[in-house]
Amino acid sequence: PILLSNKTIAIVGYGSQGHAHALNLKDSGLKVVVGLYEGSKSIEKAKSAGLEVHPVSKAAEMADLIMILLPDEVQKTVYKNEIEPHLKEGKVLACAHGFNIHFAQIVPPPKVDAIMVAPKGPGHLVRRTYEQGEGVPCLFAVYQDATGQARDRAMAYRSEERRVGKECRSRWS
């Protein structure tokens, strides 16, 4: 969809979900950067998969849409220190699990869209089904609609991931 054409998507984290999201979006023709901390073991994995890798702060600065795919327990710190300073008007903050936003560990500024796109399967399954031309069901939700396009942006993200959200349903967990 046009909403993500010519946009940069930052995938923060390159674990189970991060690698699947990054590779699926890249293979769908979108510009993807991966945000990782210095010294991460995943830097070489992401680079060898043909992905552009930057420190989280730089990736967040570059991105139009920032998808946080880190363990819940580190999200608040990474968000406050590396992501929040780069949330300018019109950007999209995304997650695949609503815990940190629901419990106000992450509070998006009012000028950004805040969405969730959550595939209901482990990353290796999300990736494998994408490569097979299929997908896993997912949930999506809009926490904050600053632009009037948050729902459409959530649907565009899961659509560009192709089939990740074949049976996407709206629900903020």
Side-chain angles (χ1 to χ4, degrees):
I2 197 159
L3 286 172
L4 297 180
S5 300
N6 303 313
K7 303 290 184 197
T8 299
I9 299 171
I11 302 298
V12 179
Y14 197 73
S16 176
Q17 287 291 325
H19 90 280
H21 285 242
L23 293 172
N24 290 1
L25 292 163
K26 176 183 166 279
D27 289 352
S28 290
L30 294 177
K31 178 167 175 51
V32 177
V33 297
V34 175
L36 295 170
Y37 65 89
E38 190 176 327
S40 170
K41 295 180 222 172
S42 297
I43 292 172
E44 285 310 312
K45 290 178 193 172
K47 284 183 177 180
S48 68
L51 292 160
E52 187 177 332
V53 180
H54 297 282
V56 173
S57 182
K58 177 68 174 171
E61 181 181 12
M62 297 170 67
D64 300 290
L65 186 152
I66 303 158
M67 172 57 93
I68 303 173
L69 295 169
L70 297 169
D72 285 334
E73 63 271 14
V74 300
Q75 285 187 22
K76 179 180 179 179
T77 301
V78 173
Y79 172 79
K80 283 305 257 176
N81 296 334
E82 308 293 327
I83 297 171
E84 187 178 43
H86 303 291
L87 289 176
K88 307 296 183 222
E89 186 173 341
K91 285 194 177 194
V92 181
L93 180 67
C95 60
H97 187 278
F99 178 88
N100 278 292
I101 290 179
H102 181 77
F103 290 104
Q105 299 300 298
I106 291 175
V107 179
K111 60 190 172 193
V112 303
D113 290 343
I115 63 172
M116 178 181 75
V117 178
K120 300 319 309 171
H124 68 275
L125 179 65
V126 171
R127 181 65 180 152
R128 184 174 71 238
T129 57
Y130 173 91
E131 292 174 319
Q132 294 169 344
E134 299 173 3
V136 300
C138 81
L139 301 176
F140 83 94
V142 173
Y143 176 78
Q144 184 168 283
D145 187 3
T147 65
Q149 296 182 317
R151 184 185 191 283
D152 292 339
R153 288 170 150 188
M155 298 311 292
Y157 180 92
R158 74 98 198 149
S159 173
E160 286 295 346
E161 256 196 312
R162 215 170 72 193
R163 301 179 254 322
V164 159
K166 194 172 187 181
E167 299 177 26
C168 219
R169 292 185 181 89
S170 178
R171 179 174 162 253
W172 190 261
S173 56

